[in-house]
PDB file of all heavy atoms in Angstrom:
ATOM      1  N   VAL A 167      20.465  25.205 -44.118  1.00 84.00           N
ATOM      2  CA  VAL A 167      20.915  25.810 -42.860  1.00 84.00           C
ATOM      3  C   VAL A 167      22.329  25.351 -42.528  1.00 84.00           C
ATOM      4  O   VAL A 167      23.174  26.151 -42.115  1.00 84.00           O
ATOM      5  CB  VAL A 167      19.928  25.478 -41.717  1.00 84.00           C
ATOM      6  CG1 VAL A 167      20.506  25.825 -40.367  1.00 84.00           C
ATOM      7  CG2 VAL A 167      18.621  26.203 -41.943  1.00 84.00           C
ATOM      8  N   LEU A 168      22.602  24.060 -42.733  1.00 82.00           N
ATOM      9  CA  LEU A 168      23.941  23.541 -42.488  1.00 82.00           C
ATOM     10  C   LEU A 168      24.957  24.228 -43.384  1.00 82.00           C
ATOM     11  O   LEU A 168      26.034  24.619 -42.935  1.00 82.00           O
ATOM     12  CB  LEU A 168      23.968  22.027 -42.720  1.00 82.00           C
ATOM     13  CG  LEU A 168      25.318  21.343 -42.594  1.00 82.00           C
ATOM     14  CD1 LEU A 168      25.742  21.284 -41.136  1.00 82.00           C
ATOM     15  CD2 LEU A 168      25.267  19.960 -43.185  1.00 82.00           C
ATOM     16  N   LEU A 169      24.612  24.420 -44.622  1.00 84.00           N
ATOM     17  CA  LEU A 169      25.529  25.054 -45.567  1.00 84.00           C
ATOM     18  C   LEU A 169      25.758  26.512 -45.219  1.00 84.00           C
ATOM     19  O   LEU A 169      26.909  26.971 -45.154  1.00 84.00           O
ATOM     20  CB  LEU A 169      24.975  24.933 -46.990  1.00 84.00           C
ATOM     21  CG  LEU A 169      25.804  25.575 -48.095  1.00 84.00           C
ATOM     22  CD1 LEU A 169      27.103  24.810 -48.275  1.00 84.00           C
ATOM     23  CD2 LEU A 169      25.037  25.613 -49.382  1.00 84.00           C
ATOM     24  N   ILE A 170      24.701  27.264 -44.970  1.00 85.00           N
ATOM     25  CA  ILE A 170      24.836  28.696 -44.718  1.00 85.00           C
ATOM     26  C   ILE A 170      25.441  28.970 -43.345  1.00 85.00           C
ATOM     27  O   ILE A 170      26.452  29.666 -43.218  1.00 85.00           O
ATOM     28  CB  ILE A 170      23.465  29.407 -44.844  1.00 85.00           C
ATOM     29  CG1 ILE A 170      22.953  29.315 -46.270  1.00 85.00           C
ATOM     30  CG2 ILE A 170      23.550  30.858 -44.398  1.00 85.00           C
ATOM     31  CD1 ILE A 170      23.841  29.966 -47.306  1.00 85.00           C
ATOM     32  N   LEU A 171      24.839  28.415 -42.302  1.00 83.00           N
ATOM     33  CA  LEU A 171      25.304  28.735 -40.956  1.00 83.00           C
ATOM     34  C   LEU A 171      26.652  28.104 -40.636  1.00 83.00           C
ATOM     35  O   LEU A 171      27.535  28.761 -40.087  1.00 83.00           O
ATOM     36  CB  LEU A 171      24.273  28.294 -39.915  1.00 83.00           C
ATOM     37  CG  LEU A 171      22.969  29.053 -39.891  1.00 83.00           C
ATOM     38  CD1 LEU A 171      22.076  28.530 -38.788  1.00 83.00           C
ATOM     39  CD2 LEU A 171      23.203  30.534 -39.717  1.00 83.00           C
ATOM     40  N   PHE A 172      26.794  26.836 -40.969  1.00 84.00           N
ATOM     41  CA  PHE A 172      28.014  26.158 -40.553  1.00 84.00           C
ATOM     42  C   PHE A 172      29.160  26.400 -41.527  1.00 84.00           C
ATOM     43  O   PHE A 172      30.209  26.896 -41.146  1.00 84.00           O
ATOM     44  CB  PHE A 172      27.778  24.655 -40.387  1.00 84.00           C
ATOM     45  CG  PHE A 172      28.923  23.979 -39.701  1.00 84.00           C
ATOM     46  CD1 PHE A 172      29.016  24.006 -38.331  1.00 84.00           C
ATOM     47  CD2 PHE A 172      29.914  23.357 -40.427  1.00 84.00           C
ATOM     48  CE1 PHE A 172      30.080  23.405 -37.685  1.00 84.00           C
ATOM     49  CE2 PHE A 172      30.982  22.755 -39.800  1.00 84.00           C
ATOM     50  CZ  PHE A 172      31.066  22.779 -38.428  1.00 84.00           C
ATOM     51  N   ASN A 173      28.953  26.045 -42.780  1.00 87.00           N
ATOM     52  CA  ASN A 173      30.080  26.121 -43.712  1.00 87.00           C
ATOM     53  C   ASN A 173      30.539  27.554 -43.954  1.00 87.00           C
ATOM     54  O   ASN A 173      31.734  27.811 -44.005  1.00 87.00           O
ATOM     55  CB  ASN A 173      29.730  25.440 -45.025  1.00 87.00           C
ATOM     56  CG  ASN A 173      30.446  24.118 -45.175  1.00 87.00           C
ATOM     57  OD1 ASN A 173      30.925  23.554 -44.200  1.00 87.00           O
ATOM     58  ND2 ASN A 173      30.508  23.632 -46.385  1.00 87.00           N
ATOM     59  N   PHE A 174      29.615  28.465 -44.125  1.00 87.00           N
ATOM     60  CA  PHE A 174      30.029  29.840 -44.378  1.00 87.00           C
ATOM     61  C   PHE A 174      30.323  30.595 -43.090  1.00 87.00           C
ATOM     62  O   PHE A 174      31.293  31.332 -42.998  1.00 87.00           O
ATOM     63  CB  PHE A 174      28.977  30.581 -45.198  1.00 87.00           C
ATOM     64  CG  PHE A 174      28.829  30.051 -46.593  1.00 87.00           C
ATOM     65  CD1 PHE A 174      27.589  30.010 -47.187  1.00 87.00           C
ATOM     66  CD2 PHE A 174      29.912  29.581 -47.307  1.00 87.00           C
ATOM     67  CE1 PHE A 174      27.439  29.522 -48.474  1.00 87.00           C
ATOM     68  CE2 PHE A 174      29.767  29.089 -48.589  1.00 87.00           C
ATOM     69  CZ  PHE A 174      28.528  29.062 -49.173  1.00 87.00           C
ATOM     70  N   GLY A 175      29.480  30.403 -42.087  1.00 86.00           N
ATOM     71  CA  GLY A 175      29.660  31.131 -40.832  1.00 86.00           C
ATOM     72  C   GLY A 175      30.844  30.654 -40.015  1.00 86.00           C
ATOM     73  O   GLY A 175      31.776  31.404 -39.738  1.00 86.00           O
ATOM     74  N   VAL A 176      30.807  29.395 -39.620  1.00 83.00           N
ATOM     75  CA  VAL A 176      31.888  28.843 -38.800  1.00 83.00           C
ATOM     76  C   VAL A 176      33.155  28.670 -39.641  1.00 83.00           C
ATOM     77  O   VAL A 176      34.263  28.805 -39.141  1.00 83.00           O
ATOM     78  CB  VAL A 176      31.446  27.506 -38.162  1.00 83.00           C
ATOM     79  CG1 VAL A 176      32.571  26.850 -37.404  1.00 83.00           C
ATOM     80  CG2 VAL A 176      30.274  27.732 -37.245  1.00 83.00           C
ATOM     81  N   GLY A 177      32.977  28.388 -40.924  1.00 82.00           N
ATOM     82  CA  GLY A 177      34.130  28.205 -41.804  1.00 82.00           C
ATOM     83  C   GLY A 177      34.986  29.442 -41.953  1.00 82.00           C
ATOM     84  O   GLY A 177      36.182  29.348 -42.232  1.00 82.00           O
ATOM     85  N   LEU A 178      34.407  30.618 -41.769  1.00 87.00           N
ATOM     86  CA  LEU A 178      35.200  31.845 -41.816  1.00 87.00           C
ATOM     87  C   LEU A 178      36.112  31.966 -40.601  1.00 87.00           C
ATOM     88  O   LEU A 178      37.234  32.452 -40.701  1.00 87.00           O
ATOM     89  CB  LEU A 178      34.285  33.070 -41.899  1.00 87.00           C
ATOM     90  CG  LEU A 178      33.555  33.275 -43.215  1.00 87.00           C
ATOM     91  CD1 LEU A 178      32.572  34.430 -43.092  1.00 87.00           C
ATOM     92  CD2 LEU A 178      34.536  33.522 -44.332  1.00 87.00           C
ATOM     93  N   LEU A 179      35.599  31.527 -39.450  1.00 88.00           N
ATOM     94  CA  LEU A 179      36.390  31.615 -38.220  1.00 88.00           C
ATOM     95  C   LEU A 179      37.353  30.444 -38.067  1.00 88.00           C
ATOM     96  O   LEU A 179      38.499  30.626 -37.657  1.00 88.00           O
ATOM     97  CB  LEU A 179      35.458  31.678 -37.008  1.00 88.00           C
ATOM     98  CG  LEU A 179      34.476  32.847 -36.987  1.00 88.00           C
ATOM     99  CD1 LEU A 179      33.498  32.684 -35.843  1.00 88.00           C
ATOM    100  CD2 LEU A 179      35.223  34.156 -36.892  1.00 88.00           C
ATOM    101  N   LEU A 180      36.882  29.254 -38.358  1.00 87.00           N
ATOM    102  CA  LEU A 180      37.682  28.033 -38.212  1.00 87.00           C
ATOM    103  C   LEU A 180      37.624  27.252 -39.522  1.00 87.00           C
ATOM    104  O   LEU A 180      36.810  26.337 -39.682  1.00 87.00           O
ATOM    105  CB  LEU A 180      37.143  27.171 -37.071  1.00 87.00           C
ATOM    106  CG  LEU A 180      37.039  27.853 -35.711  1.00 87.00           C
ATOM    107  CD1 LEU A 180      36.221  27.024 -34.758  1.00 87.00           C
ATOM    108  CD2 LEU A 180      38.413  28.119 -35.150  1.00 87.00           C
ATOM    109  N   PRO A 181      38.481  27.564 -40.488  1.00 86.00           N
ATOM    110  CA  PRO A 181      38.371  26.947 -41.812  1.00 86.00           C
ATOM    111  C   PRO A 181      38.591  25.437 -41.814  1.00 86.00           C
ATOM    112  O   PRO A 181      38.116  24.746 -42.709  1.00 86.00           O
ATOM    113  CB  PRO A 181      39.445  27.652 -42.643  1.00 86.00           C
ATOM    114  CG  PRO A 181      40.157  28.572 -41.754  1.00 86.00           C
ATOM    115  CD  PRO A 181      39.513  28.569 -40.420  1.00 86.00           C
ATOM    116  N   TRP A 182      39.258  24.900 -40.816  1.00 86.00           N
ATOM    117  CA  TRP A 182      39.497  23.458 -40.795  1.00 86.00           C
ATOM    118  C   TRP A 182      38.242  22.676 -40.433  1.00 86.00           C
ATOM    119  O   TRP A 182      38.178  21.468 -40.606  1.00 86.00           O
ATOM    120  CB  TRP A 182      40.636  23.121 -39.835  1.00 86.00           C
ATOM    121  CG  TRP A 182      40.439  23.655 -38.446  1.00 86.00           C
ATOM    122  CD1 TRP A 182      40.765  24.894 -37.982  1.00 86.00           C
ATOM    123  CD2 TRP A 182      39.844  22.969 -37.352  1.00 86.00           C
ATOM    124  NE1 TRP A 182      40.403  25.017 -36.666  1.00 86.00           N
ATOM    125  CE2 TRP A 182      39.846  23.839 -36.246  1.00 86.00           C
ATOM    126  CE3 TRP A 182      39.319  21.701 -37.184  1.00 86.00           C
ATOM    127  CZ2 TRP A 182      39.336  23.488 -35.013  1.00 86.00           C
ATOM    128  CZ3 TRP A 182      38.812  21.352 -35.951  1.00 86.00           C
ATOM    129  CH2 TRP A 182      38.835  22.245 -34.879  1.00 86.00           C
ATOM    130  N   LEU A 183      37.189  23.359 -39.956  1.00 85.00           N
ATOM    131  CA  LEU A 183      35.928  22.692 -39.630  1.00 85.00           C
ATOM    132  C   LEU A 183      34.960  22.624 -40.807  1.00 85.00           C
ATOM    133  O   LEU A 183      33.939  21.953 -40.715  1.00 85.00           O
ATOM    134  CB  LEU A 183      35.229  23.417 -38.477  1.00 85.00           C
ATOM    135  CG  LEU A 183      35.695  23.082 -37.074  1.00 85.00           C
ATOM    136  CD1 LEU A 183      34.945  23.920 -36.057  1.00 85.00           C
ATOM    137  CD2 LEU A 183      35.534  21.620 -36.775  1.00 85.00           C
ATOM    138  N   LYS A 184      35.257  23.319 -41.885  1.00 87.00           N
ATOM    139  CA  LYS A 184      34.351  23.335 -43.031  1.00 87.00           C
ATOM    140  C   LYS A 184      34.191  21.937 -43.604  1.00 87.00           C
ATOM    141  O   LYS A 184      35.116  21.149 -43.653  1.00 87.00           O
ATOM    142  CB  LYS A 184      34.891  24.247 -44.131  1.00 87.00           C
ATOM    143  CG  LYS A 184      34.728  25.710 -43.855  1.00 87.00           C
ATOM    144  CD  LYS A 184      35.307  26.537 -44.959  1.00 87.00           C
ATOM    145  CE  LYS A 184      34.462  26.421 -46.202  1.00 87.00           C
ATOM    146  NZ  LYS A 184      34.848  27.407 -47.220  1.00 87.00           N
ATOM    147  N   PHE A 185      32.970  21.631 -44.035  1.00 86.00           N
ATOM    148  CA  PHE A 185      32.718  20.371 -44.710  1.00 86.00           C
ATOM    149  C   PHE A 185      33.122  20.490 -46.170  1.00 86.00           C
ATOM    150  O   PHE A 185      32.911  21.521 -46.811  1.00 86.00           O
ATOM    151  CB  PHE A 185      31.237  19.993 -44.632  1.00 86.00           C
ATOM    152  CG  PHE A 185      30.795  19.566 -43.272  1.00 86.00           C
ATOM    153  CD1 PHE A 185      29.928  20.348 -42.543  1.00 86.00           C
ATOM    154  CD2 PHE A 185      31.245  18.388 -42.721  1.00 86.00           C
ATOM    155  CE1 PHE A 185      29.505  19.961 -41.294  1.00 86.00           C
ATOM    156  CE2 PHE A 185      30.835  17.984 -41.469  1.00 86.00           C
ATOM    157  CZ  PHE A 185      29.966  18.772 -40.752  1.00 86.00           C
ATOM    158  N   ARG A 186      33.684  19.423 -46.704  1.00 87.00           N
ATOM    159  CA  ARG A 186      34.001  19.366 -48.124  1.00 87.00           C
ATOM    160  C   ARG A 186      32.714  19.143 -48.909  1.00 87.00           C
ATOM    161  O   ARG A 186      31.727  18.653 -48.359  1.00 87.00           O
ATOM    162  CB  ARG A 186      34.995  18.235 -48.404  1.00 87.00           C
ATOM    163  CG  ARG A 186      36.335  18.452 -47.757  1.00 87.00           C
ATOM    164  CD  ARG A 186      37.366  17.451 -48.261  1.00 87.00           C
ATOM    165  NE  ARG A 186      36.873  16.088 -48.305  1.00 87.00           N
ATOM    166  CZ  ARG A 186      37.122  15.174 -47.372  1.00 87.00           C
ATOM    167  NH1 ARG A 186      37.843  15.470 -46.329  1.00 87.00           N
ATOM    168  NH2 ARG A 186      36.642  13.954 -47.492  1.00 87.00           N
ATOM    169  N   PRO A 187      32.682  19.507 -50.187  1.00 86.00           N
ATOM    170  CA  PRO A 187      31.462  19.292 -50.976  1.00 86.00           C
ATOM    171  C   PRO A 187      31.020  17.832 -51.002  1.00 86.00           C
ATOM    172  O   PRO A 187      29.823  17.543 -50.988  1.00 86.00           O
ATOM    173  CB  PRO A 187      31.843  19.785 -52.373  1.00 86.00           C
ATOM    174  CG  PRO A 187      32.913  20.788 -52.130  1.00 86.00           C
ATOM    175  CD  PRO A 187      33.672  20.303 -50.935  1.00 86.00           C
ATOM    176  N   SER A 188      31.968  16.906 -51.023  1.00 87.00           N
ATOM    177  CA  SER A 188      31.590  15.495 -51.033  1.00 87.00           C
ATOM    178  C   SER A 188      30.925  15.091 -49.718  1.00 87.00           C
ATOM    179  O   SER A 188      29.998  14.279 -49.712  1.00 87.00           O
ATOM    180  CB  SER A 188      32.821  14.626 -51.296  1.00 87.00           C
ATOM    181  OG  SER A 188      33.803  14.848 -50.307  1.00 87.00           O
ATOM    182  N   GLU A 189      31.358  15.665 -48.608  1.00 87.00           N
ATOM    183  CA  GLU A 189      30.720  15.381 -47.326  1.00 87.00           C
ATOM    184  C   GLU A 189      29.306  15.963 -47.290  1.00 87.00           C
ATOM    185  O   GLU A 189      28.379  15.328 -46.778  1.00 87.00           O
ATOM    186  CB  GLU A 189      31.541  15.952 -46.174  1.00 87.00           C
ATOM    187  CG  GLU A 189      32.857  15.261 -45.952  1.00 87.00           C
ATOM    188  CD  GLU A 189      33.700  15.947 -44.900  1.00 87.00           C
ATOM    189  OE1 GLU A 189      33.739  17.195 -44.868  1.00 87.00           O
ATOM    190  OE2 GLU A 189      34.323  15.226 -44.114  1.00 87.00           O
ATOM    191  N   LEU A 190      29.136  17.160 -47.830  1.00 86.00           N
ATOM    192  CA  LEU A 190      27.807  17.773 -47.880  1.00 86.00           C
ATOM    193  C   LEU A 190      26.856  16.956 -48.748  1.00 86.00           C
ATOM    194  O   LEU A 190      25.677  16.806 -48.420  1.00 86.00           O
ATOM    195  CB  LEU A 190      27.900  19.208 -48.397  1.00 86.00           C
ATOM    196  CG  LEU A 190      28.497  20.222 -47.433  1.00 86.00           C
ATOM    197  CD1 LEU A 190      28.764  21.532 -48.153  1.00 86.00           C
ATOM    198  CD2 LEU A 190      27.580  20.439 -46.249  1.00 86.00           C
ATOM    199  N   MET A 191      27.371  16.407 -49.847  1.00 87.00           N
ATOM    200  CA  MET A 191      26.528  15.572 -50.704  1.00 87.00           C
ATOM    201  C   MET A 191      26.117  14.297 -49.983  1.00 87.00           C
ATOM    202  O   MET A 191      24.965  13.858 -50.087  1.00 87.00           O
ATOM    203  CB  MET A 191      27.249  15.234 -52.004  1.00 87.00           C
ATOM    204  CG  MET A 191      27.355  16.396 -52.947  1.00 87.00           C
ATOM    205  SD  MET A 191      27.937  15.981 -54.593  1.00 87.00           S
ATOM    206  CE  MET A 191      29.464  15.162 -54.280  1.00 87.00           C
ATOM    207  N   ALA A 192      27.039  13.687 -49.238  1.00 88.00           N
ATOM    208  CA  ALA A 192      26.714  12.467 -48.498  1.00 88.00           C
ATOM    209  C   ALA A 192      25.678  12.754 -47.420  1.00 88.00           C
ATOM    210  O   ALA A 192      24.705  12.004 -47.254  1.00 88.00           O
ATOM    211  CB  ALA A 192      27.985  11.873 -47.892  1.00 88.00           C
ATOM    212  N   MET A 193      25.863  13.855 -46.670  1.00 87.00           N
ATOM    213  CA  MET A 193      24.898  14.203 -45.625  1.00 87.00           C
ATOM    214  C   MET A 193      23.550  14.574 -46.238  1.00 87.00           C
ATOM    215  O   MET A 193      22.498  14.239 -45.689  1.00 87.00           O
ATOM    216  CB  MET A 193      25.436  15.355 -44.775  1.00 87.00           C
ATOM    217  CG  MET A 193      26.584  14.951 -43.893  1.00 87.00           C
ATOM    218  SD  MET A 193      27.121  16.245 -42.786  1.00 87.00           S
ATOM    219  CE  MET A 193      27.837  17.411 -43.923  1.00 87.00           C
ATOM    220  N   GLY A 194      23.559  15.267 -47.367  1.00 84.00           N
ATOM    221  CA  GLY A 194      22.312  15.619 -48.038  1.00 84.00           C
ATOM    222  C   GLY A 194      21.555  14.388 -48.500  1.00 84.00           C
ATOM    223  O   GLY A 194      20.334  14.311 -48.359  1.00 84.00           O
ATOM    224  N   ALA A 195      22.268  13.419 -49.041  1.00 86.00           N
ATOM    225  CA  ALA A 195      21.615  12.179 -49.474  1.00 86.00           C
ATOM    226  C   ALA A 195      21.032  11.430 -48.285  1.00 86.00           C
ATOM    227  O   ALA A 195      19.931  10.872 -48.362  1.00 86.00           O
ATOM    228  CB  ALA A 195      22.617  11.303 -50.215  1.00 86.00           C
ATOM    229  N   MET A 196      21.759  11.433 -47.166  1.00 86.00           N
ATOM    230  CA  MET A 196      21.237  10.774 -45.962  1.00 86.00           C
ATOM    231  C   MET A 196      19.971  11.460 -45.469  1.00 86.00           C
ATOM    232  O   MET A 196      18.991  10.791 -45.120  1.00 86.00           O
ATOM    233  CB  MET A 196      22.302  10.790 -44.866  1.00 86.00           C
ATOM    234  CG  MET A 196      23.467   9.886 -45.118  1.00 86.00           C
ATOM    235  SD  MET A 196      24.771  10.071 -43.900  1.00 86.00           S
ATOM    236  CE  MET A 196      23.983   9.395 -42.447  1.00 86.00           C
ATOM    237  N   MET A 197      19.962  12.797 -45.450  1.00 82.00           N
ATOM    238  CA  MET A 197      18.792  13.526 -44.955  1.00 82.00           C
ATOM    239  C   MET A 197      17.610  13.399 -45.910  1.00 82.00           C
ATOM    240  O   MET A 197      16.473  13.293 -45.469  1.00 82.00           O
ATOM    241  CB  MET A 197      19.135  14.999 -44.734  1.00 82.00           C
ATOM    242  CG  MET A 197      19.969  15.228 -43.509  1.00 82.00           C
ATOM    243  SD  MET A 197      20.140  16.960 -43.103  1.00 82.00           S
ATOM    244  CE  MET A 197      21.002  17.592 -44.525  1.00 82.00           C
ATOM    245  N   LEU A 198      17.853  13.437 -47.209  1.00 80.00           N
ATOM    246  CA  LEU A 198      16.757  13.293 -48.168  1.00 80.00           C
ATOM    247  C   LEU A 198      16.112  11.916 -48.050  1.00 80.00           C
ATOM    248  O   LEU A 198      14.896  11.783 -48.127  1.00 80.00           O
ATOM    249  CB  LEU A 198      17.255  13.535 -49.589  1.00 80.00           C
ATOM    250  CG  LEU A 198      17.623  14.976 -49.917  1.00 80.00           C
ATOM    251  CD1 LEU A 198      18.276  15.058 -51.287  1.00 80.00           C
ATOM    252  CD2 LEU A 198      16.407  15.866 -49.852  1.00 80.00           C
ATOM    253  N   THR A 199      16.938  10.899 -47.831  1.00 81.00           N
ATOM    254  CA  THR A 199      16.399   9.556 -47.663  1.00 81.00           C
ATOM    255  C   THR A 199      15.665   9.435 -46.341  1.00 81.00           C
ATOM    256  O   THR A 199      14.568   8.880 -46.263  1.00 81.00           O
ATOM    257  CB  THR A 199      17.533   8.520 -47.733  1.00 81.00           C
ATOM    258  OG1 THR A 199      18.239   8.678 -48.960  1.00 81.00           O
ATOM    259  CG2 THR A 199      16.988   7.112 -47.634  1.00 81.00           C
ATOM    260  N   GLY A 200      16.258   9.972 -45.280  1.00 76.00           N
ATOM    261  CA  GLY A 200      15.610   9.927 -43.965  1.00 76.00           C
ATOM    262  C   GLY A 200      14.336  10.732 -43.908  1.00 76.00           C
ATOM    263  O   GLY A 200      13.371  10.350 -43.251  1.00 76.00           O
ATOM    264  N   GLY A 201      14.300  11.867 -44.595  1.00 70.00           N
ATOM    265  CA  GLY A 201      13.091  12.683 -44.624  1.00 70.00           C
ATOM    266  C   GLY A 201      11.966  12.018 -45.404  1.00 70.00           C
ATOM    267  O   GLY A 201      10.794  12.176 -45.066  1.00 70.00           O
TER     268      GLY A 201
END
């Protein structure tokens, strides 16, 4: 959801808000561990 809604959706309107792939990997690792 973060990737589709935020990175693709908001990233089209405000490209400076897009997360870099390395940031997405860090957040994904945090969520997988927390889950």
Side-chain angles (χ1 to χ4, degrees):
V167 168
L168 176 72
L169 179 68
I170 295 299
L171 292 182
F172 192 82
N173 253 18
F174 293 144
V176 175
L178 289 174
L179 301 172
L180 304 167
W182 54 274
L183 278 178
K184 284 179 70 169
F185 288 112
R186 295 190 314 261
S188 59
E189 291 174 320
L190 287 170
M191 287 190 305
M193 289 185 291
M196 289 174 69
M197 285 190 297
L198 290 172
T199 304

